């Protein structure tokens, strides 16, 4: 029996293109694994009313981890319009399948390395080496949202918070509410993961990116917990920043930062910013990691207009494979893959269009495979 069971979820848009690239590299690496294809994405929403079918959850349950490429998401009205006619009006609700996977498997760490590979013409600078730890299950992604505002929620809020007085004259039908929910344990585990990583990889700082001067309770809880955890790591400095200032500092002096830790939505935003410093989403990979299961993905979306053309940069997907190998404990293979990616970028002979070249997705993956 192979050592690992790994689910492959290509999804849609350019998802299958980059998953084919991943397969080229996995074959070259000869990982002792069985690969199980699993359905996910827009086509399953359209014909089944479910973008993440139960059979996929069942398959994932039997695997060590999964690779996910990309899926298309659309706002509420468009999602309803794309449903097969017999499914419309049946109460099907579209929720992003990747967000659901994170919550279903309690993948509370979103690990997003943004490292400049020398020779990448898209780098802001060549000495950037950032890793974002984004809380991945709570905050504004908790899914506790209302519109219109139910009367019982309104009454409870009015009784509990003076801030609600400002909305007293607005009809409930005209109020939308999204709750930002943090738990102490949620804060603790993401901050601890960031410190553990910093310690293991020799980063001198962990920067907490929040907004406690305004979001006094949620960001405040995270800051208080972070200070306590930091005390367990005397050799690592905890820097506290506000998310708005951080956006500016990251553009100004990205080389000064190492490990960043943030809540779900701020981490989502700041990790896109960090990705652009090192070439954009074509170079940004992401690990959704829990205690017993993990899903690895490129951070980019499904770019439907490029679907099936095999011209997008596969680097983000290949770096996701590298993160997976690390997580599986296959450190030598992971290091060899990263070195091969770095070599192909440094050499600059095989380049996809974003890098100013005209090579295909698969040619770039083959060049990487040849260097392993
Ligand atoms: C990401 C993406 C997702 C997110 C979307 C596709 C729901 O932006 O992985 O960063 O918001 O988490
Ligand atoms: Mg995002």
């Amino acid at each position: 029996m192979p050592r690992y069971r790994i689910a492959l979820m290509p999804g849609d848009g350019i998802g299958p293109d980059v998953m084919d690239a991943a397969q080229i590299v996995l074959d070259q690496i000869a990982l002792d694994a069985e690969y199980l294809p699993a359905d996910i994405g827009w086509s399953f929403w359209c014909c089944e009313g479910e973008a993440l079918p139960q059979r996929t959850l069942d398959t994932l349950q039997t695997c060590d981890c999964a690779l996910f490429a990309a899926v298309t998401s659309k706002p509420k009205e468009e999602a309803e319009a794309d449903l097969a006619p017999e499914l419309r009006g049946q109460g099907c609700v579209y929720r992003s399948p990747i967000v659901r996977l994170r919550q279903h498997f309690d993948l509370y760490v979103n690990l997003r390395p943004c490292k400049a590979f020398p020779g990448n013409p898209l780098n802001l600078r060549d000495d950037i080496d950032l890793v974002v730890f984004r809380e991945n299950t709570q905050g504004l992604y908790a899914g506790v949202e209302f519109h219109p505002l139910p009367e019982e929620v309104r009454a409870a809020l009015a009784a509990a918070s003076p801030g609600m007085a400002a909305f007293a004259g607005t009809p409930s039908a005209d109020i939308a509410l999204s709750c930002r929910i943090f738990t102490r344990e949620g804060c603790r585990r993401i901050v601890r993961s960031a410190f553990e990583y910093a310690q293991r990889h020799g980063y001198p700082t962990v920067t907490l990116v929040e907004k406690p001067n305004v979001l006094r309770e949620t960001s405040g809880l995270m800051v208080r917990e972070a200070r306590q955890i930091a005390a367990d790591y005397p050799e690592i400095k905890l820097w506290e920043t506000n998310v708005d200032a951080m956006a500016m500092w990251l553009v100004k002096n990205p080389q000064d930062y190492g490990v960043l830790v943030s809540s779900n939505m701020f981490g989502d935003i700041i990790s896109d910013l960090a990705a652009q410093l090192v070439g954009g989403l074509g170079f940004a990979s992401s690990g959704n990691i829990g205690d017993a299961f993990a899903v690895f993905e490129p951070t980019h979306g499904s770019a439907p207009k490029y679907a099936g053309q095999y011209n997008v940069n596969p680097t983000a997907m290949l770096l996701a494979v590298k993160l997976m190998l690390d997580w599986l404990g296959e450190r030598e293979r992971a290091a060899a893959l990263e070195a091969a990616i770095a070599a192909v970028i440094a050499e600059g002979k095989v380049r996809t269009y974003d890098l100013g070249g005209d090579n295909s997705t698969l040619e770039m993956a083959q060049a990487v495979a040849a260097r392993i």
Side-chain angles (χ1 to χ4, degrees), residues 37-85:
D39 296 338
I40 196 165
W42 200 250
S43 55
F44 302 98
W45 163 256
C46 296
C47 61
E48 298 176 26
E50 181 50 88
L52 176 60
Q54 182 60 42
R55 60 184 179 278
T56 295
L57 293 174
D58 295 342
T59 300
L60 294 178
Q61 210 67 251
T62 71
C63 291
D64 294 287
C65 62
L67 273 177
F68 165 76
V71 297
T72 301
S73 296
K74 298 186 188 179
K76 207 164 145 185
E77 289 76 19
E78 285 169 58
E80 179 76 14
D82 276 5
L83 277 176

Side-chain angles (χ1 to χ4, degrees), residues 146-159 164 168 170-175:
F146 308 96
H147 183 236
L149 189 60
E151 286 313 319
E152 67 274 24
V153 177
R154 181 165 199 162
L157 288 174
M164 281 304 285
T170 310
S172 297
D174 295 342
I175 301 182

Side-chain angles (χ1 to χ4, degrees), residues 44-303:
F44 302 98
W45 163 256
C46 296
C47 61
E48 298 176 26
E50 181 50 88
L52 176 60
Q54 182 60 42
R55 60 184 179 278
T56 295
L57 293 174
D58 295 342
T59 300
L60 294 178
Q61 210 67 251
T62 71
C63 291
D64 294 287
C65 62
L67 273 177
F68 165 76
V71 297
T72 301
S73 296
K74 298 186 188 179
K76 207 164 145 185
E77 289 76 19
E78 285 169 58
E80 179 76 14
D82 276 5
L83 277 176
E86 68 277 14
L87 292 171
R88 286 181 212 148
Q90 302 291 305
C92 300
V93 179
Y94 185 84
R95 279 196 68 206
S96 159
I98 184 64
V99 173
R100 285 172 58 200
L101 282 177
R102 292 167 182 163
Q103 286 168 346
H104 182 87
F105 291 101
D106 198 21
L107 309 176
Y108 57 90
V109 170
N110 194 328
L111 168 68
R112 300 193 146 177
C114 296
K115 179 169 161 179
F117 287 102
N120 179 351
L122 302 174
N123 288 342
L124 189 74
R125 317 171 41 118
D126 280 352
D127 56 356
I128 299 169
D129 180 9
L130 297 166
V131 184
V132 179
F133 275 75
R134 165 190 180 192
E135 199 291 321
N136 214 21
T137 55
Q138 312 190 335
L140 279 171
Y141 285 69
V144 182
E145 297 197 289
F146 308 96
H147 183 236
L149 189 60
E151 286 313 319
E152 67 274 24
V153 177
R154 181 165 199 162
L157 288 174
S161 173
M164 281 304 285
F167 305 99
T170 310
S172 297
D174 295 342
I175 301 182
L177 172 69
S178 300
C179 297
R180 189 177 192 251
I181 303 180
F182 285 25
T183 66
R184 192 186 305 279
E185 181 52 22
C187 294
R188 293 187 71 85
R189 60 189 188 171
I190 189 65
V191 173
R192 191 166 289 286
S193 303
F195 271 93
E196 284 293 311
Y197 186 95
Q199 188 177 57
R200 216 170 329 117
H201 295 87
Y203 287 90
T205 60
V206 168
T207 305
L208 179 62
V209 186
E210 277 299 316
K211 187 82 186 178
N213 54 343
V214 176
L215 301 170
R216 312 186 85 82
E217 304 310 334
T218 44
S219 290
L221 181 65
M222 184 105 147
V223 169
R224 289 190 294 276
E225 294 305 317
R227 288 181 187 162
Q228 281 185 16
I229 288 168
D232 296 341
Y233 302 84
E235 74 286 11
I236 300 169
K237 276 209 179 65
L238 173 66
W239 287 351
E240 297 174 18
T241 62
N242 287 329
V243 60
D244 49 345
M246 191 67 204
M248 187 185 69
W249 288 116
L250 275 179
V251 173
K252 192 162 189 275
N253 293 325
Q255 72 286 358
D256 288 352
Y257 296 91
V259 175
L260 312 181
V261 60
S262 194
S263 54
N264 210 338
M265 183 60 87
F266 291 167
D268 179 43
I269 296 166
I270 221 80
S271 62
D272 269 23
L273 193 159
Q276 191 56 47
L277 304 173
V278 299
L281 292 178
F283 292 86
S285 60
S286 166
N288 304 276
I289 302 173
D291 289 331
F293 188 68
V295 177
F296 299 89
E297 51 161 338
T299 305
H300 60 64
S302 68

Side-chain angles (χ1 to χ4, degrees), residues 24 310 314 344 350-351 358-368:
I24 289 173
Y310 289 96
V344 169
V350 182
R351 286 180 162 176
D358 59 4
N359 291 104
S360 73
T361 306
L362 301 185
E363 283 165 348
M364 190 142 170
Q366 278 147 0
V368 170

